[in-house]
Structure formats: C-alpha cells, structure tokens
Amino acid sequence: MSRLVVVSNRVAPIQEGEATAGGLAAGVLDALKQKGGLWFGWSGEVKDASEPQPERTVGPITLFTIDLSRKDYDQYYRGFANDTLWPVLHYQIGLGHFEWPEFEGYRRVNDLFAAGLTPLVRPDDLIWVHDYHLLCLADSLRAQGLTNRIGLFLHTPFPAPGVFMTIPSHAELIRAMCAYDLLGFQTEIDRAAFIDYVLRHADGVRVETEGGRKGIVSVFGRIVRTGVYPIGVHVDEVRAQAETPINRRQATRMRANLLERLILSVDRLDYSKGLRQRFAAFERFLAEFPAQHGLVTFMQIAPPSRSDIETYQRIRRELEGEAGRINGRFAEVDWVPLRYLNRGFPRNVLMPLYAEAQACLVTPLRDGMNLVAKEYVAAQDPEEPGVLILSEFAGAARELDAALLVNPYDEAGMARAMNRALSMPVEERQERHQAMLKVMRTNSLERWRDRFEADLRGA
Ligand code: GDG
C-alpha cells in the first residue's frame, strides 16, 4: 500500500500522537496514525538564516518542518494567503488587498515547499495537500519532476467566478490548481463554482460525467477530477468530552449561572465569522424581547487570530467597542447580557460548555464547513438537546438543515431565531437534534478522509 504524505501550511503541534484541536489536524492525524506516513509543513518559526530542521517521529508519523524568512512570511502568509485569498474566498471583496510582489512571494513559498518535499517523496506515495495556502504546490512539484498522484482539499469556500476573478492573478492560480489530480471541496456549491470558472474562463476545457455527476474536467491537456467531501467531527469523542465535568470551581460557577440561560458562540476572531452582525442581532433581541432580560446571557468566545493583519486588528477593536456599548445599554446591577471572552480555552472546557448552552449561534458570512456547528450538535444530551442557529452560508448548512437556518445579514431574523430557540419545546429540539446527528454519523470524519484518499488513489 502506498504511503500517505500530507502537506499543510502548518504542521499541527503533536504530543504523543494527539493534535491539539481542529478538524484538519484530527482527521489527518487519524489517517497517518493508522497507516503511517509523512507530514510536511511550516514550523511556525520566522527566521532569516534558516537551518534545515531535523525530522521528528511520533509513532508511525514522520514530521518535517521548514522555517520561513521574514520576507516569505510577509508576502506569502500575511500578504497573499491571508489578506488577498482569504477574504475573496469568503466573498469579502474589497476587504483585503492585492500586490503582485506578494503573489510572487506566494509562488516562491509554494516552490520552497516543493523543493523541501521532493527529496522525501517515494515514487508511489500519495500526496494530500491542504487548503488555500498551497493552491500552486502541485504545479511546483510537477516542475520538480514529480509524477505522483497529488490531491488538494480546500477547507474554505470556492467563490463564484465573478468574485474569484477580482484577484488579478486568478488565471494563473486556476492553471496551477489544474496540476492536481484531484480537487476536493466542502460542498457542491464550491465544486460547481470551480467548474463554472473553468468552463467559462479557461481554454481547452471539457467537462465529463462520472457516476452521473459532472466530475472530471479535462483542462490544459490534463484530466482533473473534482469531488465533494464534507469534513466531519468525531461524534462520540466530542460527546464524551462534553460529559466530563470541568474542574470543580468552574462546575460550581456554572451551576450558579444556570438560572440564566446561555447562548454560546465560539469562533476564531475573524471577519468572515459574522461577529459584528451577530452582536447587532443580540442587541436587537434584547431590544425586542424585554421579557428575556435577566434570564439570558450571550457568551462569545473569540480567540484572536492573525493579529498582525490590519483587518483583524480592526474587527477586534470594533467588537470590543460594541460589547461595551451593548452591555452599557442593557446591563443591570445583577445581570450582564453579553460576555465577550477574547481568548482561547482548552477543549476540555469548551466541550462541556457546548453541552451547557441552550443555544449556539454559528452565523458566519461565509464558511467552508464550520466545525463548531458540528461539535455543538455532537456535544448535546440527546434527551435535552440545545438548539443550533446556523448561517445558511456555512458549508455545514447543506447537511444540518434541521438547524434553525438564518441569514447572517438579517439582524431581525437572527433575533427572532434566538427567541424561538429559547422557547422551543423539547420534542422539537429532540427531533431536530436526531436528524442532525444522523447526517453527522454518516458524513463522519473517517468517511471524509477515506473517500478523499480512495478517490486520490483511483485518480
Ligand atoms: C477552516 C475553515 C472548516 C475554536 N476556539 C477554540 C477552539 N476552537 C476550535 C473549534 C473548531 C475549530 O477551532 C474551528 O473550526 P471551524 O471549522 O469553525 O473554523 P476555521 O478555523 O475557520 O477552519 C472551516 C475547517 O477549516 C475544517 O475544514 O470547517 O470552514 O474556515 O474545532 O472547536 N479550540 C480550543 N479552544 C478555543 O478557544 N481548544
């Protein structure tokens, strides 16, 4: 059986075979643990005189990391990947910026990854690349002479062609993406948007059908397969963690707070997650449903992310201002409606918190999948489940249509959904929860990984 080689921007910090958090790390790690293999990526270090890093092995997994120079970091990571691609992939045109030298830097780092990886690859290895940082990696690897099967899974959305084309180097990106053998997307909407771009804007393209679906594109003289692989979570693992009591101090405090019902949100502090609109919706909820005053707390956990990028600093300042203003307007001497926690928490605190919350607000403006939505559902007590309020623009909404689906730009609609969630009868909550759990058990994390791997093997 050929070996699996995983490439992602960062290699997750692994201790004794366990990743810290997140779907990518958990899913990939499982695959590597079972079959053994290699994981290649950036160390997270920015160093100008970079030494080759020694390999590390954890069980059957070999980890290889490289450092980035300050210039590479600024142009590739901070610049093109996170301030050009990320906003556009999330339909936020005009939020980021584009500079040709940064795009060149992005290509240069994709080449750097390829140069580091090529000597490690054996002829029959399967190479599984992750995410928007490495759209050009297969092209760079082909330039190194590699003929292995190489697949890309895009964790973010792929936007409509007119949106993608606002990136001045869009044609070069698509051409490079077509050096992969398999392109995996979270939803059919993303896959169709990619096909749509290729059909309309690339030369010499034919789309063929496979199993009744339009899946294969023959483009620039190569066959590129496309597929839809919604990422999942380990349902039973999440539930087990959710049932484990947190430490005694926290448990006591939580019980003391039980009189107040909890609406919870957990997001990386990112403008794509719709936090500003959500805060506004909660404010409207407080204004329109005064009977809920004193009875409900909205807790937003938002660990800062990419904080050296201006747009991220701006959203942080805005939210701090808004949280203060909303509390100033509605708080009582014995009640604070909005609790804004600007830091991360360990998973063994987060999962029990999910289980405590009567409702979870997951309202990104756009999201590849959104694992918080799935973790929240998995964490619930099936007898007494809470209600998921989910943006119709999260990939997860395609599977979790038994959630209360909302438009994150509709503040009044979100406010009504909060009120509805808090008064929903237990039978309806159970019914919705069961329906969502059923889909999640089918589209498990194992299935995501196995289907992608099998399709890449067959590509
Ligand atoms: C990208 C795509 C896609 C959050 N705060 C804490 C914490 N988290 C964990 C959550 C969850 C993960 O981080 C966040 O995953 P999401 O899917 O919600 O969002 P992105 O980070 O944007 O991920 C996304 C995903 O890739 C996978 O394909 O779903 O669409 O954007 O697991 O629980 N974990 C801990 N403390 C925190 O404070 N421990």
Side-chain angles (χ1 to χ4, degrees), residues 89 172 240 289-290:
L89 293 172
E172 197 175 335
F289 302 99

Side-chain angles (χ1 to χ4, degrees), residues 20-24 86 90 131 153 155-157 186 231 266-268 273 301 303 343-347 350-351 354 367-372 375:
T20 45
L24 187 164
W86 177 269
H90 291 85
D131 230 359
F153 181 76
H155 290 258
T156 67
Q186 300 268 27
I231 193 167
V266 179
D267 311 79
R268 270 187 314 97
K273 302 292 183 184
I301 293 181
R343 64 189 175 92
F345 290 85
R347 243 175 126 73
L350 214 51
M351 301 300 136
Y354 283 145
D367 218 325
M369 177 52 62
N370 196 296
L371 294 175
V372 171
E375 288 165 354

Side-chain angles (χ1 to χ4, degrees), residues 9 73-89 102-103 106 132-134 271 306 309:
N9 172 57
Y73 173 81
D74 283 343
Q75 295 187 330
Y76 150 80
Y77 183 79
R78 220 163 65 93
F80 189 74
N82 282 315
D83 208 27
T84 304
L85 269 178
W86 177 269
V88 171
L89 293 172
E102 292 184 349
F103 177 61
Y106 177 87
Y132 63 98
H133 311 90
L134 300 170
Y271 49 82
R306 304 171 194 166
I309 298 173

